[in-house]
Amino acid sequence: MEQHKLTIDMNEATIDQLRDHHFALFGLHAVATSASGVPTIWLSVHYLERHLELTWQETYSMFTARHQGMAPSTKIVPTHNYPAPLGSVLTVSGNDGAGIVTPGGPAGHMEIDNTGRMELGAGLCIHDTHGMYQPVGIFDLIDVDLFQPIPKVAFFFSPIPHMAGEVATRALGPGILLDYSKARDRSFSVEYDLHDGWSVGNRPYAQPIAANEPLNPLLLVRSSALQALAMQRQRITSASNIRR
């Protein structure tokens, strides 16, 4: 379990404008996967101040959901949620997405196996700044899905009401993508100005995001290696079921 931190400094004029126009801060977390899906808003912060400090734990769970649409603004509500460490396997047998968690998955990954007949939605949850498990995306669960958290987070200020778990396929406004693998202490400090935007500058760990930019290429890594590993795991699961 690792604590991550972000500090955002703003001047008085910026924070006054953000508050007057009811802006909130939203974050989306990157993930590598073998499955097809879309990102969801992972955290939301509605109380803003000049020196804004956010902390969260990289604590994970696997969730399933009755098959839902993936259209923008769709609110994803997990039917079942299973906290578990990396390397765990969630074997789903119930048509409603119920299952059991066991060890034995690929190191550094989460694995969800669908042994039932229903097509479901599934994905990875991570603790947000309030200590709540929130989905980082929703994905088709047909047989075996693999997920690997990526230490990159996108942040946006927006006056439009959004909520955690909401599908977001495009940037909510001008944003910043932070790569926490480049932070020695898992902590970053950035500045934000309403007119000048995010302080990206020459920071190698920060990438600007244009308003309305597609988010799938930034946040969802559809890994061919994970797809091959998922197929291998599916063969192992099928062989095990036959022997039973």
Side-chain angles (χ1 to χ4, degrees):
M1 183 189 304
E2 294 182 333
Q3 178 170 288
H4 289 58
K5 181 177 180 179
L6 173 64
T7 302
I8 306 172
D9 286 306
M10 296 173 275
N11 58 42
E12 196 69 43
T14 292
I15 196 65
D16 286 345
Q17 287 290 314
L18 292 180
R19 288 172 176 170
D20 289 347
H21 292 87
H22 306 290
F23 275 72
L25 178 70
F26 301 98
L28 292 91
H29 199 295
V31 64
T33 178
S34 62
S36 60
V38 291
T40 56
I41 295 172
W42 161 61
L43 66 80
S44 61
V45 177
H46 295 269
Y47 180 76
L48 305 180
E49 49 192 336
R50 285 192 60 181
H51 184 74
L52 182 61
E53 292 187 353
L54 311 175
T55 59
W56 67 92
Q57 301 283 351
E58 286 282 313
T59 306
Y60 309 112
S61 69
M62 294 175 281
F63 78 90
T64 58
R66 292 182 176 87
H67 205 275
Q68 303 169 345
M70 296 185 181
S73 300
T74 301
K75 167 70 173 175
I76 302 304
V77 180
T79 307
H80 298 279
N81 191 39
Y82 299 91
L86 293 175
S88 298
V89 178
L90 170 60
T91 302
V92 178
S93 56
N95 289 338
D96 65 344
I100 58 171
V101 175
T102 57
H109 298 72
M110 303 290 248
E111 178 178 331
I112 306 179
D113 298 348
N114 185 5
T115 61
R117 297 182 178 180
M118 294 291 292
E119 290 189 13
L120 300 164
L124 180 71
C125 288
I126 301 177
H127 265 173
D128 66 4
T129 53
H130 305 292
M132 303 291 292
Y133 284 108
Q134 299 290 357
V136 299
I138 179 70
F139 303 87
D140 291 324
L141 178 62
I142 300 173
D143 37 51
V144 173
D145 285 356
L146 291 175
F147 301 96
Q148 180 182 29
I150 295 178
K152 293 182 179 181
V153 186
F155 291 97
F156 308 91
F157 285 107
S158 174
I160 300 173
H162 296 287
M163 64 184 74
E166 181 180 314
V167 172
T169 57
R170 291 187 174 272
L172 309 179
I176 187 171
L177 182 67
L178 298 175
D179 185 350
Y180 277 85
S181 69
K182 298 178 180 179
R184 291 182 180 179
D185 57 356
R186 304 298 183 191
S187 178
F188 285 133
S189 294
V190 297
E191 297 79 43
Y192 177 79
D193 182 274
L194 192 62
H195 301 291
D196 298 331
W198 296 90
S199 58
V200 175
N202 296 319
R203 306 179 189 206
Y205 54 81
Q207 175 183 337
I209 303 174
N212 208 41
E213 182 175 343
L215 291 177
N216 278 46
L218 294 174
L219 299 172
L220 302 187
V221 178
R222 188 83 186 279
S223 168
S224 57
L226 284 187
Q227 288 176 299
L229 181 57
M231 292 179 64
Q232 178 185 357
R233 300 288 298 182
Q234 172 63 20
R235 288 194 292 269
I236 294 173
T237 300
S238 298
S240 176
N241 290 337
I242 291 172
R243 285 196 295 271
R244 291 175 188 171

